[in-house]
Amino acid sequence: MKLTRARVTDYRSIDDSGWVDVDNVTCMVGKNESGKTAFLAALKKLNPVDRVSGDFDLKDYPRKGYVKYRRQHKTSPSVVVRAEFRLDQDEIGEIEEEYGVGVVASPVVMVSKDYANSRTWDIQLNEASLVQSLITEAGLPAEIEERAEAASTIEELRSILERLEIKPPVVGNLLIDINSRFRTSLRELIVDDFLERYLPAFVYFDDYSTMRGRISLPDMRRRSESDSLLDDADRTFMSLISLVGTDIGDLESQMDYEHLKAELESASISITDDVFEYWHQNRQLRVEFDLSNANPNDAPPLNEGTILHIRIWNNRHRVSVQFDERSKGFVWFFSFLAYFSGLEMEDENRNLLLLLDEPGLNLHAMAQRDFLRFIDERLAPKHQVIYTTHSPFMIDLNRLGSVRTVQDMDDRGTVVSDDVMVHDSETVFPLQVAMGYQLAQSLFLAPHCLLVNSPSDQIYLQVLGEAVAAQGRPSLDPRWVTIPVGGADNLLTYVSLLGENYVNVAIMMDVSPKSRARIEAKHGKTGFNSPIKMVEVTKIRDADMEDLFDPQFYLKLVNTVYAHELPYELNMKAISGPSPRIAQRIQKFFEKENVCGGYFDQYRPAAYLLSKHLEFRSELDDSTIDKAASMFNRVNSLLAVNGSGNGSSGYTNGGGNGGAKVGASSAWSFGSSRVSSPA
């Protein structure tokens, strides 16, 4: 039986969640306090695995309607959760083996639970099929069979047979069979004998389920005698005990210490091995168990009897610490695996539906990706999983169709939807970050990276490339992936993040002495005398990309896009100044005249040129085309030389093989490892 959709109404912050489609793995994304936990908590109570937390409490009814509802609660309890399931072929086959082929009219079944904690089932049955099967198997006389075939239900068949004045033995036998097998309705029989058994047990796990580092065994034994006294952390510990194959009494008495120690160590090794199949953050850890007598000076209940210690040993530092004083991420991961493994050991064929509330909240981003793999490889093949998150790294963009957004809306309460377009930007922000991260990662797949200063530089490379190509001359080689870094101050970060993904990294921006020093401190001093400098292309000292264009052409772009903000049309005299860079001189003018708050956005002229590039192409003079062609030739030459494997100028990140290679100079420049400076 597989959950296909669910709906929660009148529970805490939820007036009506709407029907929520559920896949094998479903991710619910939303802000804090949006109602994600409330949805899972309500769903869990449909059939909780612990059997003691399944009752709805009237206090969970939404406060705004609480007084009015309380009056009608006893006579008309409100339904809290509705769930639609789909029976698989084996389950349908088992039912039909008992009640005849075709008795299940639809594989879709519905179950609901209300504030009176009454569970109600709805299943579409073809009772006439069962009636026909009973009639055929009974071998009734033809005349009686003809009358009996008018029945479409068991009750109708019973009534027809009982009204017969003469009842042959076969009729009596059939009535005995009906009366013994169908003391209640067919629907109730199928629910009690099959559907209740098929219904998945809902497993809810959150941060409060994390195991403690020290457990008083006498206290645990006393509380375990009544399951209602155990909290979520206790149940995680009890799952661990079931994995060990012992009970609290044996641990408490410490009978045959060596035997118990062996069992504890075996469980530790088994779970630790499972953890490290998916935990790649620090593989120097292992979990250890030990027993000791209580310290009378400790706070109750740790001051009496036998104490079980759970500790984490760090092989790198050769020390151990108490379990719950270790990294919260590792503690959570281990606790969840112990809890889940214990449930599996109880019954490996048990149908579980896992509700994970903010799983891996304290895990590093890469560990969260590991946990997603754990869900896919370990959980999802056997069990459905619904989890909540607001971490972009817990969103699998390969399954965007399984993402549900959760939003607490004015006058509507919590609403769950599979349409991200109907939600505010804050709700979908984790999705946007996840998509942005994936987009950035796609850039890292290419072997050759060209770092530029800004998005406007990207546009100019594209526009000038098309203009050069229109004259039959080579433009920028498509193997280059251009990445705007937002200035030289960000250069070190980008170079470091690129790591070993690139064969060739070229820098196309001004590298100040300060930036150069920072890069050298990180990657070593390898020389900045790159064979290519922007001044050689533009004949302008410290040139920007904008300086490739004729100044009058660039001013035309600026005057057009800033026509409503400029006090008058700019000319060369208006932007006169000591800087050789035209963009910098325009910035000074904006500051002086307080145009746009003193800020010149270099992207606006670039975007305008891109939108009108076919019209402006004819206005690009020969000098601009020649300079652009020269620039592209020099950049592309780095690929050819680098491909030959000769030379060694530039940076090497990683010390020799496979590192990202960077070259730069104090002016605009291009560089790469394995590029030999020409004589």
Side-chain angles (χ1 to χ4, degrees):
M1 181 182 287
K2 184 174 182 180
L3 181 66
T4 56
R5 59 178 186 154
R7 183 178 187 177
V8 175
T9 53
D10 298 326
Y11 185 76
R12 297 182 183 174
S13 66
I14 304 175
D15 294 339
D16 186 349
S17 69
W19 280 106
V20 181
D21 291 334
V22 176
D23 296 320
N24 200 47
V25 177
T26 304
C27 172
M28 302 183 71
V29 179
K31 296 186 294 185
N32 293 328
E33 303 300 324
S34 61
K36 304 187 299 297
T37 297
F39 185 88
L40 294 190
L43 196 57
K44 176 196 71 170
K45 291 180 182 294
L46 189 63
N47 188 35
V49 69
D50 55 34
R51 300 293 182 186
V52 298
S53 59
D55 286 350
F56 287 109
D57 194 310
L58 192 58
K59 72 178 187 318
D60 287 322
Y61 195 91
R63 289 291 189 269
K64 59 186 176 183
Y66 177 79
V67 174
K68 179 180 179 181
Y69 170 70
R70 190 176 56 184
R71 300 191 191 102
Q72 68 177 54
H73 170 64
K74 290 186 178 180
T75 57
S76 181
S78 177
V79 175
V80 186
V81 60
R82 299 168 178 83
E84 182 183 278
F85 292 87
R86 188 176 186 87
L87 299 170
D88 62 33
Q89 288 303 312
D90 290 340
E91 292 165 339
I92 293 174
E94 188 177 9
I95 296 173
E96 292 186 339
E97 184 178 354
E98 177 69 20
Y99 296 113
V101 176
V103 70
V104 178
S106 170
V108 176
V109 298
M110 187 80 72
V111 60
S112 60
K113 192 171 183 178
D114 57 26
Y115 271 108
N117 292 300
S118 173
R119 198 156 60 200
T120 304
W121 289 86
D122 185 19
I123 179 173
Q124 297 180 38
L125 299 174
N126 182 6
E127 200 166 337
S129 175
L130 171 59
V131 169
Q132 185 59 51
S133 177
L134 291 172
I135 293 172
T136 302
E137 292 175 1
L140 299 175
E143 181 181 346
I144 296 177
E145 180 176 341
E146 183 177 352
R147 295 179 62 181
E149 286 179 343
S152 59
T153 67
I154 295 296
E155 285 305 311
E156 289 177 358
L157 177 61
R158 192 197 321 257
S159 177
I160 290 172
L161 295 179
E162 288 178 344
R163 289 201 307 267
L164 291 175
E165 295 180 359
I166 301 176
K167 297 183 179 66
V170 292
V171 172
N173 292 337
L174 179 55
L175 279 171
I176 292 173
D177 183 39
I178 291 174
N179 291 330
S180 62
R181 292 179 62 190
F182 302 100
R183 295 174 182 268
T184 60
S185 69
L186 176 63
R187 184 181 305 277
E188 291 176 347
L189 288 171
I190 291 178
V191 168
D192 293 342
D193 296 341
F194 297 98
L195 299 187
E196 288 286 348
R197 176 160 51 89
Y198 296 156
L199 182 64
F202 288 78
V203 180
Y204 180 86
F205 197 90
D206 62 4
D207 270 353
Y208 297 105
S209 307
T210 301
M211 244 180 344
R212 300 179 179 90
R214 290 189 297 166
I215 293 95
S216 169
L217 295 178
D219 176 68
M220 183 65 70
R221 174 177 48 78
R222 286 191 295 267
R223 290 190 293 115
S224 65
E225 293 172 357
S226 175
D227 196 46
S228 61
L229 298 178
L230 297 177
D231 60 22
D232 291 338
D234 295 332
R235 294 188 180 92
T236 301
F237 171 73
M238 297 302 291
S239 293
L240 177 65
I241 292 300
S242 69
L243 280 177
V244 175
T246 186
D247 58 42
I248 295 177
D250 289 340
L251 291 174
E252 186 179 0
S253 64
Q254 299 189 53
M255 297 296 291
D256 194 355
Y257 176 83
E258 290 299 326
H259 175 70
L260 288 175
K261 185 70 172 177
E263 288 184 328
L264 289 170
E265 288 179 347
S266 176
S268 168
I269 292 171
S270 176
I271 301 176
T272 302
D273 286 346
D274 278 349
V275 167
F276 285 124
E277 185 176 348
Y278 299 95
W279 180 271
H280 295 153
Q281 298 301 295
N282 182 356
R283 305 185 69 85
Q284 303 295 320
L285 307 178
R286 70 172 184 267
V287 178
E288 297 180 335
F289 301 100
D290 207 353
L291 297 165
S292 74
N293 293 322
N295 182 347
N297 296 321
D298 284 342
L302 298 173
N303 60 342
E304 64 170 340
T306 302
I307 306 298
L308 176 68
H309 300 265
I310 307 174
R311 300 184 67 82
I312 298 179
W313 172 266
N314 188 318
N315 199 49
R316 176 178 296 162
H317 300 292
R318 289 173 289 183
V319 296
S320 68
V321 295
Q322 193 170 301
F323 182 73
D324 45 12
E325 294 179 358
R326 186 62 198 181
S327 158
K328 289 184 178 180
F330 181 82
V331 168
W332 184 92
F333 206 156
F334 185 92
S335 297
F336 173 74
L337 195 54
Y339 184 56
F340 175 71
S341 299
L343 292 175
E344 281 193 322
M345 178 167 284
E346 290 177 13
D347 183 359
E348 63 179 3
N349 295 317
R350 191 176 190 182
N351 188 10
L352 303 175
L353 198 153
L354 304 174
L355 306 172
L356 309 182
D357 195 10
E358 299 289 354
L361 187 62
N362 294 300
L363 295 177
H364 180 271
M366 297 311 296
Q368 290 182 354
R369 306 301 290 185
D370 287 339
F371 188 74
L372 280 182
R373 184 168 63 89
F374 175 81
I375 291 176
D376 285 339
E377 297 178 6
R378 180 72 185 274
L379 304 182
K382 294 179 63 176
H383 311 288
Q384 283 183 275
V385 179
I386 304 175
Y387 69 93
T388 66
T389 190
H390 45 66
S391 167
F393 301 101
M394 284 296 295
I395 299 172
D396 187 349
L397 292 180
N398 293 321
R399 286 199 301 257
L400 272 179
S402 298
V403 174
R404 308 289 177 259
T405 52
V406 184
Q407 184 177 359
D408 189 3
M409 305 180 71
D410 293 340
D411 301 324
R412 293 185 60 188
T414 295
V415 176
V416 186
S417 173
D418 59 0
D419 184 3
V420 300
M421 300 303 294
V422 301
H423 291 280
D424 60 63
S425 59
E426 292 183 0
T427 298
V428 300
F429 183 70
L431 276 167
Q432 294 171 332
V433 174
M435 297 178 72
Y437 175 77
Q438 186 181 63
L439 180 62
Q441 287 296 300
S442 68
L443 295 175
F444 293 173
L445 298 178
H448 308 289
C449 170
L450 181 62
L451 300 180
V452 298
N453 186 61
S454 65
S456 60
D457 290 350
Q458 282 185 304
I459 292 176
Y460 292 136
L461 287 174
Q462 179 181 346
V463 172
L464 291 173
E466 292 182 1
V468 169
Q471 294 190 7
R473 302 164 76 174
S475 60
L476 187 67
D477 192 297
R479 286 176 292 175
W480 286 109
V481 172
T482 59
I483 300 178
V485 303
D489 288 342
N490 298 331
L491 188 58
L492 174 60
T493 302
Y494 274 84
V495 169
S496 299
L497 287 175
L498 293 175
E500 299 182 357
N501 296 287
Y502 284 91
V503 172
N504 190 16
V505 175
I507 299 172
M508 189 177 178
M509 68 178 65
D510 177 59
V511 181
S512 65
K514 179 180 177 181
S515 297
R516 180 194 305 192
R518 292 179 63 204
I519 297 175
E520 284 182 347
K522 178 73 175 178
H523 296 280
K525 187 172 182 178
T526 55
F528 275 86
N529 293 322
S530 177
I532 302 172
K533 297 183 179 181
M534 197 65 170
V535 66
E536 298 173 357
V537 176
T538 63
K539 310 304 181 185
I540 297 175
R541 174 174 55 86
D542 297 335
D544 283 329
M545 183 73 73
E546 287 85 355
D547 295 308
L548 286 170
F549 298 100
D550 178 78
Q552 297 295 341
F553 175 84
Y554 187 71
L555 283 177
K556 179 179 179 180
L557 296 177
V558 174
N559 285 322
T560 302
V561 297
Y562 280 100
H564 298 295
E565 291 97 337
L566 289 170
Y568 51 85
E569 192 172 277
L570 294 182
N571 53 38
M572 294 301 294
K573 182 179 180 180
I575 61 168
S576 62
S579 175
R581 303 178 182 179
I582 189 170
Q584 194 171 86
R585 298 200 304 273
I586 295 174
Q587 172 62 40
K588 291 295 183 181
F589 177 85
F590 273 50
E591 293 173 1
K592 178 183 176 182
E593 300 293 336
N594 194 28
V595 179
C596 296
Y599 174 66
F600 170 49
D601 184 357
Q602 294 174 237
Y603 182 78
R604 288 179 61 179
Y608 181 71
L609 175 60
L610 180 63
S611 66
K612 304 287 186 179
H613 69 283
L614 291 179
E615 301 174 23
F616 279 108
R617 183 182 297 172
S618 61
E619 297 187 33
L620 295 175
D621 61 7
D622 292 340
S623 175
T624 299
I625 300 297
D626 289 341
K627 286 185 286 188
S630 174
M631 175 182 66
F632 291 137
N633 283 332
R634 291 165 186 254
V635 178
N636 294 339
S637 69
L638 299 178
L639 294 175
V641 177
N642 189 39
S644 68
N646 298 321
S648 59
S649 72
Y651 290 95
T652 300
N653 175 23
N657 293 323
K661 294 83 180 178
V662 184
S665 90
S666 59
W668 281 82
S669 62
F670 305 91
S672 165
S673 73
R674 304 178 188 169
V675 178
S676 299
S677 299

